[in-house]
Short mmCIF file of all heavy atoms in Angstrom, two decimals:
data_model
loop_
_atom_site.label_atom_id
_atom_site.label_comp_id
_atom_site.label_asym_id
_atom_site.label_seq_id
_atom_site.Cartn_x
_atom_site.Cartn_y
_atom_site.Cartn_z
N THR A 1 -60.19 101.36 -69.17
CA THR A 1 -59.38 102.05 -70.17
C THR A 1 -60.28 102.61 -71.29
O THR A 1 -60.00 103.68 -71.82
CB THR A 1 -58.30 101.14 -70.78
OG1 THR A 1 -58.92 100.03 -71.43
CG2 THR A 1 -57.36 100.63 -69.70
N PHE A 2 -61.34 101.88 -71.61
CA PHE A 2 -62.28 102.40 -72.61
C PHE A 2 -63.03 103.59 -72.06
O PHE A 2 -63.27 104.57 -72.78
CB PHE A 2 -63.27 101.30 -73.02
CG PHE A 2 -64.21 101.72 -74.13
CD1 PHE A 2 -63.78 101.73 -75.45
CD2 PHE A 2 -65.51 102.12 -73.86
CE1 PHE A 2 -64.63 102.13 -76.48
CE2 PHE A 2 -66.37 102.51 -74.87
CZ PHE A 2 -65.92 102.52 -76.19
N ARG A 3 -63.39 103.55 -70.78
CA ARG A 3 -64.09 104.70 -70.19
C ARG A 3 -63.18 105.92 -70.19
O ARG A 3 -63.64 107.04 -70.46
CB ARG A 3 -64.55 104.37 -68.77
CG ARG A 3 -65.17 105.56 -68.06
CD ARG A 3 -66.21 105.16 -67.07
NE ARG A 3 -67.37 104.54 -67.70
CZ ARG A 3 -68.48 104.21 -67.04
NH1 ARG A 3 -68.57 104.43 -65.74
NH2 ARG A 3 -69.51 103.66 -67.67
N ARG A 4 -61.92 105.72 -69.89
CA ARG A 4 -60.99 106.85 -69.91
C ARG A 4 -60.83 107.39 -71.33
O ARG A 4 -60.76 108.60 -71.55
CB ARG A 4 -59.63 106.40 -69.36
CG ARG A 4 -58.63 107.53 -69.18
CD ARG A 4 -57.44 107.11 -68.33
NE ARG A 4 -56.73 105.97 -68.88
CZ ARG A 4 -56.57 104.81 -68.28
NH1 ARG A 4 -57.11 104.60 -67.08
NH2 ARG A 4 -55.89 103.83 -68.85
N LEU A 5 -60.83 106.49 -72.31
CA LEU A 5 -60.68 106.88 -73.71
C LEU A 5 -61.87 107.71 -74.19
O LEU A 5 -61.72 108.61 -75.03
CB LEU A 5 -60.55 105.62 -74.57
CG LEU A 5 -60.22 105.80 -76.05
CD1 LEU A 5 -58.77 106.21 -76.23
CD2 LEU A 5 -60.50 104.51 -76.80
N THR A 6 -63.04 107.42 -73.67
CA THR A 6 -64.26 108.11 -74.11
C THR A 6 -64.75 109.15 -73.10
O THR A 6 -65.89 109.61 -73.19
CB THR A 6 -65.38 107.07 -74.34
OG1 THR A 6 -65.54 106.27 -73.16
CG2 THR A 6 -65.04 106.17 -75.52
N ALA A 7 -63.88 109.52 -72.18
CA ALA A 7 -64.29 110.45 -71.11
C ALA A 7 -64.64 111.83 -71.64
O ALA A 7 -65.46 112.53 -71.04
CB ALA A 7 -63.19 110.55 -70.06
N ARG A 8 -64.03 112.23 -72.73
CA ARG A 8 -64.36 113.53 -73.31
C ARG A 8 -64.29 113.45 -74.83
O ARG A 8 -63.55 112.65 -75.40
CB ARG A 8 -63.38 114.62 -72.83
CG ARG A 8 -61.98 114.48 -73.37
CD ARG A 8 -61.12 115.71 -73.12
NE ARG A 8 -59.83 115.59 -73.82
CZ ARG A 8 -59.62 116.00 -75.07
NH1 ARG A 8 -60.61 116.53 -75.76
NH2 ARG A 8 -58.44 115.86 -75.63
N PHE A 9 -65.10 114.27 -75.47
CA PHE A 9 -65.05 114.36 -76.92
C PHE A 9 -63.77 115.07 -77.32
O PHE A 9 -63.37 116.06 -76.71
CB PHE A 9 -66.26 115.13 -77.45
CG PHE A 9 -66.26 115.29 -78.94
CD1 PHE A 9 -66.39 114.19 -79.77
CD2 PHE A 9 -66.13 116.54 -79.52
CE1 PHE A 9 -66.37 114.33 -81.15
CE2 PHE A 9 -66.12 116.70 -80.89
CZ PHE A 9 -66.24 115.59 -81.71
N ASP A 10 -63.10 114.57 -78.36
CA ASP A 10 -61.80 115.08 -78.81
C ASP A 10 -61.94 115.73 -80.19
O ASP A 10 -61.67 115.10 -81.21
CB ASP A 10 -60.76 113.97 -78.83
CG ASP A 10 -61.31 112.65 -79.38
OD1 ASP A 10 -62.52 112.57 -79.66
OD2 ASP A 10 -60.52 111.71 -79.54
N PRO A 11 -62.35 117.00 -80.24
CA PRO A 11 -62.62 117.66 -81.52
C PRO A 11 -61.42 117.73 -82.44
O PRO A 11 -61.58 117.82 -83.67
CB PRO A 11 -63.10 119.06 -81.11
CG PRO A 11 -62.56 119.27 -79.74
CD PRO A 11 -62.57 117.91 -79.10
N GLU A 12 -60.21 117.69 -81.89
CA GLU A 12 -59.02 117.76 -82.74
C GLU A 12 -58.88 116.54 -83.64
O GLU A 12 -58.13 116.58 -84.63
CB GLU A 12 -57.77 117.92 -81.87
CG GLU A 12 -57.38 116.70 -81.05
CD GLU A 12 -58.14 116.58 -79.74
OE1 GLU A 12 -59.05 117.42 -79.51
OE2 GLU A 12 -57.84 115.66 -78.96
N LYS A 13 -59.62 115.48 -83.35
CA LYS A 13 -59.58 114.27 -84.17
C LYS A 13 -60.70 114.25 -85.21
O LYS A 13 -60.87 113.25 -85.92
CB LYS A 13 -59.70 113.03 -83.27
CG LYS A 13 -58.60 112.89 -82.23
CD LYS A 13 -57.24 112.67 -82.88
CE LYS A 13 -56.17 112.40 -81.80
NZ LYS A 13 -54.84 112.18 -82.41
N TYR A 14 -61.43 115.34 -85.31
CA TYR A 14 -62.59 115.38 -86.18
C TYR A 14 -62.48 116.46 -87.26
O TYR A 14 -61.74 117.43 -87.11
CB TYR A 14 -63.87 115.60 -85.36
CG TYR A 14 -64.35 114.33 -84.67
CD1 TYR A 14 -63.68 113.85 -83.55
CD2 TYR A 14 -65.42 113.63 -85.17
CE1 TYR A 14 -64.09 112.68 -82.93
CE2 TYR A 14 -65.85 112.46 -84.55
CZ TYR A 14 -65.18 111.99 -83.44
OH TYR A 14 -65.58 110.83 -82.84
N VAL A 15 -63.24 116.25 -88.30
CA VAL A 15 -63.41 117.21 -89.39
C VAL A 15 -64.78 117.85 -89.24
O VAL A 15 -65.76 117.17 -88.89
CB VAL A 15 -63.30 116.50 -90.76
CG1 VAL A 15 -63.73 117.42 -91.89
CG2 VAL A 15 -61.88 116.01 -90.99
N GLU A 16 -64.86 119.15 -89.46
CA GLU A 16 -66.14 119.84 -89.42
C GLU A 16 -66.74 119.93 -90.81
O GLU A 16 -66.03 120.15 -91.80
CB GLU A 16 -65.96 121.26 -88.86
CG GLU A 16 -65.60 121.28 -87.39
CD GLU A 16 -65.51 122.70 -86.85
OE1 GLU A 16 -65.38 123.63 -87.67
OE2 GLU A 16 -65.56 122.87 -85.61
N VAL A 17 -68.05 119.76 -90.88
CA VAL A 17 -68.78 119.89 -92.13
C VAL A 17 -69.61 121.16 -92.02
O VAL A 17 -70.36 121.34 -91.06
CB VAL A 17 -69.69 118.68 -92.38
CG1 VAL A 17 -70.46 118.86 -93.69
CG2 VAL A 17 -68.87 117.40 -92.40
N ARG A 18 -69.44 122.06 -92.99
CA ARG A 18 -70.11 123.35 -92.96
C ARG A 18 -71.14 123.48 -94.08
O ARG A 18 -70.97 122.94 -95.16
CB ARG A 18 -69.10 124.49 -93.10
CG ARG A 18 -68.10 124.57 -91.96
CD ARG A 18 -67.08 125.68 -92.22
NE ARG A 18 -66.11 125.77 -91.15
CZ ARG A 18 -66.29 126.48 -90.04
NH1 ARG A 18 -67.39 127.19 -89.90
NH2 ARG A 18 -65.38 126.50 -89.10
N SER A 19 -72.19 124.21 -93.79
CA SER A 19 -73.18 124.54 -94.81
C SER A 19 -73.80 125.87 -94.42
O SER A 19 -74.22 126.07 -93.28
CB SER A 19 -74.26 123.47 -94.91
OG SER A 19 -75.27 123.88 -95.81
N ASP A 20 -73.87 126.82 -95.37
CA ASP A 20 -74.46 128.12 -95.09
C ASP A 20 -75.98 128.11 -95.17
O ASP A 20 -76.64 129.12 -94.88
CB ASP A 20 -73.92 129.17 -96.06
CG ASP A 20 -72.44 129.46 -95.83
OD1 ASP A 20 -72.00 129.24 -94.68
OD2 ASP A 20 -71.77 129.86 -96.78
N GLN A 21 -76.54 126.93 -95.61
CA GLN A 21 -77.98 126.77 -95.65
C GLN A 21 -78.67 127.79 -96.56
O GLN A 21 -79.78 128.20 -96.31
CB GLN A 21 -78.58 126.89 -94.23
CG GLN A 21 -78.09 125.80 -93.27
CD GLN A 21 -78.55 124.42 -93.69
OE1 GLN A 21 -79.72 124.22 -93.96
NE2 GLN A 21 -77.64 123.49 -93.78
N HIS A 22 -77.99 128.20 -97.65
CA HIS A 22 -78.62 129.08 -98.64
C HIS A 22 -78.69 128.34 -99.96
O HIS A 22 -77.77 127.63 -100.34
CB HIS A 22 -77.81 130.37 -98.83
CG HIS A 22 -77.80 131.24 -97.61
ND1 HIS A 22 -78.95 131.71 -97.01
CD2 HIS A 22 -76.76 131.75 -96.88
CE1 HIS A 22 -78.64 132.46 -95.97
NE2 HIS A 22 -77.32 132.49 -95.86
N ASP A 23 -79.79 128.54 -100.68
CA ASP A 23 -79.98 127.83 -101.94
C ASP A 23 -78.91 128.17 -102.96
O ASP A 23 -78.60 127.37 -103.83
CB ASP A 23 -81.37 128.13 -102.53
CG ASP A 23 -82.48 127.56 -101.66
OD1 ASP A 23 -82.18 126.62 -100.89
OD2 ASP A 23 -83.62 128.05 -101.76
N ASP A 24 -78.35 129.41 -102.88
CA ASP A 24 -77.39 129.81 -103.89
C ASP A 24 -75.95 129.47 -103.49
O ASP A 24 -75.01 129.85 -104.17
CB ASP A 24 -77.50 131.31 -104.17
CG ASP A 24 -77.30 132.13 -102.88
OD1 ASP A 24 -77.29 131.53 -101.79
OD2 ASP A 24 -77.15 133.36 -103.01
N GLN A 25 -75.80 128.75 -102.39
CA GLN A 25 -74.48 128.38 -101.94
C GLN A 25 -74.13 126.98 -102.45
O GLN A 25 -75.00 126.12 -102.61
CB GLN A 25 -74.41 128.39 -100.40
CG GLN A 25 -74.57 129.78 -99.81
CD GLN A 25 -73.40 130.68 -100.16
OE1 GLN A 25 -72.26 130.24 -100.19
NE2 GLN A 25 -73.70 131.93 -100.43
N PRO A 26 -72.86 126.70 -102.70
CA PRO A 26 -72.46 125.36 -103.12
C PRO A 26 -72.62 124.37 -101.98
O PRO A 26 -72.81 124.73 -100.83
CB PRO A 26 -70.99 125.53 -103.50
CG PRO A 26 -70.53 126.71 -102.68
CD PRO A 26 -71.71 127.62 -102.61
N ALA A 27 -72.54 123.08 -102.31
CA ALA A 27 -72.63 122.02 -101.30
C ALA A 27 -71.52 122.19 -100.27
O ALA A 27 -70.46 122.72 -100.58
CB ALA A 27 -72.51 120.65 -101.97
N PRO A 28 -71.75 121.76 -99.04
CA PRO A 28 -70.75 121.95 -97.98
C PRO A 28 -69.47 121.18 -98.27
O PRO A 28 -69.47 120.17 -98.97
CB PRO A 28 -71.46 121.39 -96.75
CG PRO A 28 -72.47 120.43 -97.27
CD PRO A 28 -72.92 121.02 -98.57
N THR A 29 -68.41 121.68 -97.72
CA THR A 29 -67.12 121.00 -97.84
C THR A 29 -66.61 120.68 -96.45
O THR A 29 -66.99 121.31 -95.47
CB THR A 29 -66.09 121.89 -98.56
OG1 THR A 29 -65.94 123.10 -97.82
CG2 THR A 29 -66.54 122.20 -99.97
N ALA A 30 -65.75 119.69 -96.36
CA ALA A 30 -65.15 119.31 -95.08
C ALA A 30 -63.91 120.15 -94.85
O ALA A 30 -63.05 120.26 -95.71
CB ALA A 30 -64.79 117.83 -95.10
N GLU A 31 -63.84 120.77 -93.69
CA GLU A 31 -62.69 121.59 -93.35
C GLU A 31 -62.05 121.08 -92.08
O GLU A 31 -62.72 120.55 -91.19
CB GLU A 31 -63.12 123.04 -93.13
CG GLU A 31 -63.66 123.72 -94.39
CD GLU A 31 -64.03 125.17 -94.10
OE1 GLU A 31 -63.76 125.65 -92.98
OE2 GLU A 31 -64.57 125.81 -94.99
N GLU A 32 -60.75 121.24 -92.01
CA GLU A 32 -60.06 120.87 -90.79
C GLU A 32 -60.44 121.84 -89.68
O GLU A 32 -60.64 123.03 -89.90
CB GLU A 32 -58.54 120.94 -91.01
CG GLU A 32 -58.03 120.00 -92.09
CD GLU A 32 -58.12 118.55 -91.68
OE1 GLU A 32 -58.25 118.29 -90.47
OE2 GLU A 32 -58.08 117.68 -92.56
N ILE A 33 -60.57 121.33 -88.48
CA ILE A 33 -60.85 122.18 -87.33
C ILE A 33 -59.62 123.03 -87.06
O ILE A 33 -58.50 122.51 -87.01
CB ILE A 33 -61.19 121.34 -86.10
CG1 ILE A 33 -62.52 120.62 -86.35
CG2 ILE A 33 -61.25 122.17 -84.84
CD1 ILE A 33 -62.93 119.72 -85.23
N PRO A 34 -59.79 124.33 -86.89
CA PRO A 34 -58.63 125.18 -86.63
C PRO A 34 -57.88 124.74 -85.38
O PRO A 34 -58.49 124.29 -84.40
CB PRO A 34 -59.26 126.58 -86.42
CG PRO A 34 -60.59 126.50 -87.10
CD PRO A 34 -61.04 125.09 -86.94
N ALA A 35 -56.57 124.85 -85.43
CA ALA A 35 -55.74 124.46 -84.28
C ALA A 35 -55.96 125.45 -83.15
O ALA A 35 -56.20 126.63 -83.38
CB ALA A 35 -54.28 124.42 -84.69
#
């Protein structure tokens, strides 16, 4: 049952962290993954 649970990554359960990697940009924010 654990193997079945971990059989694939489930991105809908995760938050994405973004960064534009520019010095003049603010620190990254956490955004919900688009549906």
Side-chain angles (χ1 to χ4, degrees):
T1 61
F2 185 79
R3 175 150 294 186
R4 186 166 59 240
L5 187 74
T6 53
R8 70 168 188 88
F9 179 66
D10 42 355
E12 70 277 5
K13 300 295 185 180
Y14 281 75
V15 169
E16 291 183 342
V17 180
R18 297 177 180 273
S19 174
D20 292 335
Q21 298 295 310
H22 293 304
D23 293 339
D24 57 349
Q25 294 293 322
T29 59
E31 295 182 6
E32 299 290 342
I33 294 178

